[in-house]
Amino acid sequence: DDIHRHREHHAPLPPGVPSPPSPPPGSTDPGEIMAEVGEVTRELLVIMLLSMLFGLFVGLASAFVTKRLGPSMNKRPHAELSLLLVFATGCYMSADQIKGQETGGEALSAILALFFCGITMRHYTFHNLSATAQGTSRMLCRTVSSLCDTALAVLLGISLVDYLVQPSRGGG
């Protein structure tokens, strides 16, 4: 600070005194920083809201379709389960591909859309399925959940080993 004040109000620095480093690129004005934080927050909220609405829409569409096809689909539980998977996968893939003006060209959050689609499907669509399809979907979801938990545990274990080994590699 003293060097900056000396530079602003006095003659050039005496010989042997290093000049202070220049400020980092970009603005350090608190007003501009807060404006940028506000803009990022707004974009994040828009993406979250649109992703949530998209997931709710797909979940409600699946409930509508399963309600309309109910009597004809109840004899084929494999078709009901396939329809559930198509809606869930379609929600994830579509949300990941949608880019819009509202989000500044950014894609929607596919995971958030799938999360809300799953909640909606569990609350509405699940009750439109036959008893066999309900039991099968419960078992399928539990199996996939267990596989995901296992994969996460393996990845975290690998990350932990990599983190513990990393300091010994760069020591020189």
Side-chain angles (χ1 to χ4, degrees):
D1 280 343
D2 292 334
I3 294 176
H4 285 290
R5 275 189 252 123
H6 180 80
R7 188 181 210 182
E8 292 173 5
H9 300 292
H10 299 305
L13 293 172
V17 175
S19 62
S22 58
S27 175
T28 56
D29 178 35
E32 289 183 33
I33 291 173
M34 289 307 292
E36 189 172 329
V37 167
E39 179 65 24
V40 169
T41 303
R42 186 194 70 75
E43 287 178 21
L44 181 63
L45 289 174
V46 167
I47 289 171
M48 288 173 54
L49 179 67
L50 291 176
S51 299
M52 181 184 74
L53 291 174
F54 184 74
L56 288 172
F57 173 76
V58 173
L60 291 173
S62 75
F64 178 78
V65 168
T66 55
K67 184 74 167 175
R68 291 288 178 211
L69 295 176
S72 64
M73 297 279 283
N74 282 343
K75 297 177 185 115
R76 297 178 295 198
H78 61 281
E80 291 177 298
L81 191 58
S82 297
L83 192 60
L84 282 181
L85 294 175
V86 165
F87 271 103
T89 307
C91 176
Y92 183 86
M93 291 173 29
S94 299
D96 196 40
Q97 296 300 314
I98 291 176
K99 297 181 191 285
Q101 289 288 73
E102 299 84 11
T103 62
E106 293 295 321
L108 298 178
S109 171
I111 291 177
L112 191 61
L114 180 62
F115 177 73
F116 280 96
C117 178
I119 290 173
T120 308
M121 288 174 74
R122 174 64 174 103
H123 191 73
Y124 295 108
T125 307
F126 185 77
H127 302 292
N128 295 337
L129 302 176
S130 65
T132 306
Q134 286 180 359
T136 306
S137 67
R138 270 193 205 105
M139 186 58 68
L140 178 67
C141 288
R142 287 180 185 157
T143 303
V144 170
S145 174
S146 178
L147 289 172
C148 290
D149 286 345
T150 303
L152 183 62
V154 168
L155 289 174
L156 288 175
I158 291 172
S159 296
L160 178 66
V161 169
D162 191 41
Y163 175 75
L164 293 174
V165 172
Q166 185 69 24
S168 66
R169 279 195 232 154

